[in-house]
Amino acid sequence: MNKKAFAVISCMIFILVAAVGCSNKAPAPETPDTEVPVVEAAEPTTPPAEEDLLELYDYAAALYTEIGKMDFAVDKEASIIQDDTTYYKIVDERFDSYDTFKAHLMQVFTANMVNTELLRETRFIEGKDGYLYAAEGSSGTPFYAGYCLGEPVIGEDIITVPMTAYFTADDSPYTEERFSEVPDNPEDFRTEEYEFTLLPEDGIWKFDIFRVFY
């Protein structure tokens, strides 16, 4: 990639981050359906267009939040107890088996993230009937106040985007609307630094490190 092309791509991604991370409000992501945004990774590998990356980020954030809260339709009468944990059968019409759910995740996240993070046994298991079973979800982080995305670092085969998460200084519940820009009163919050990365896998860009607070 020559310097001129790299500069243009960097500018495009910077505009994207400003749009995603520095708006005034941070609305809750809508529950995704099975229409997954596919962002192809060209050969030689180049970063995706800004609108495609934004769509992929929004979808991944909604799906990750749904997993964190375990916000799926479940059959409470059908459960499995394993290692003192109760797992309930998911009857969400989008996922008729454990395998279809895993295949769906792997359109957005890398195999590494799916296998080591999203489908670890403390979260999901496969029943003898082939269905997906899930443990109870989390209610979220009540002292989480908001976030802001930083300028991405672009490589030939990786995109890394830093994120600053804001929490109430005394870990008390945050009751106002969560923000997605640097607040006017940063001294009232404590911060933690994170980053997420995208890698090309199976010819498309996928998240290999991803984090969403809710």
Side-chain angles (χ1 to χ4, degrees):
M1 183 184 297
N2 59 43
K3 293 183 178 179
K4 182 176 180 180
F6 182 85
V8 171
I9 292 172
S10 297
C11 182
M12 291 172 62
I13 301 298
F14 178 78
I15 292 172
L16 161 70
V17 170
V20 176
C22 294
S23 59
N24 289 329
K25 302 297 182 182
E30 296 182 358
T31 300
D33 54 26
T34 53
E35 188 65 32
V36 183
V38 174
V39 182
E40 294 183 357
E43 293 293 343
T45 300
T46 55
E50 56 186 87
E51 63 273 14
D52 293 334
L53 184 55
L54 177 60
E55 183 180 12
L56 184 62
Y57 176 85
D58 286 345
Y59 188 92
L63 184 57
Y64 194 99
T65 300
E66 190 174 25
I67 291 172
K69 291 182 176 181
M70 214 57 70
D71 192 17
F72 301 100
V74 299
D75 181 358
K76 289 284 188 176
E77 300 300 318
S79 63
I80 296 174
I81 298 177
Q82 180 173 298
D83 297 329
D84 297 324
T85 299
T86 301
Y87 298 84
Y88 297 100
K89 184 177 182 179
I90 291 183
V91 292
D92 193 303
E93 63 182 9
R94 296 169 298 167
F95 314 116
D96 59 4
S97 70
Y98 181 94
D99 288 340
T100 58
F101 181 62
K102 182 175 182 178
H104 184 74
L105 292 177
M106 291 185 66
Q107 295 181 76
V108 183
F109 304 102
T110 64
N112 173 66
M113 182 170 180
V114 170
N115 292 324
T116 63
E117 171 66 19
L118 298 178
L119 287 182
R120 64 181 186 268
E121 287 193 356
T122 56
R123 195 184 291 259
F124 297 101
I125 61 172
E126 181 179 12
K128 292 182 179 180
D129 55 4
Y131 275 87
L132 177 70
Y133 287 73
E136 293 284 359
S138 168
S139 60
T141 308
F143 45 86
Y144 168 62
Y147 74 97
C148 188
L149 299 181
E151 182 175 358
V153 178
I154 304 170
E156 291 189 357
D157 59 355
I158 185 172
I159 299 173
T160 303
V161 181
M163 181 190 76
T164 301
Y166 292 82
F167 305 88
T168 56
D170 58 358
D171 287 347
S172 60
Y174 186 73
T175 57
E176 299 180 31
E177 187 169 7
R178 288 169 175 161
F179 52 82
S180 56
E181 62 176 359
V182 177
D184 295 331
N185 55 333
E187 67 280 357
D188 292 341
F189 303 93
R190 63 177 179 85
T191 61
E192 294 181 12
E193 300 298 325
Y194 298 91
E195 66 178 19
F196 61 81
T197 62
L198 296 97
L199 301 176
E201 185 178 88
D202 301 326
I204 61 176
W205 285 98
K206 302 180 183 181
F207 288 102
D208 187 58
I209 298 176
F210 196 78
R211 185 71 180 268
V212 173
F213 294 95
Y214 51 87

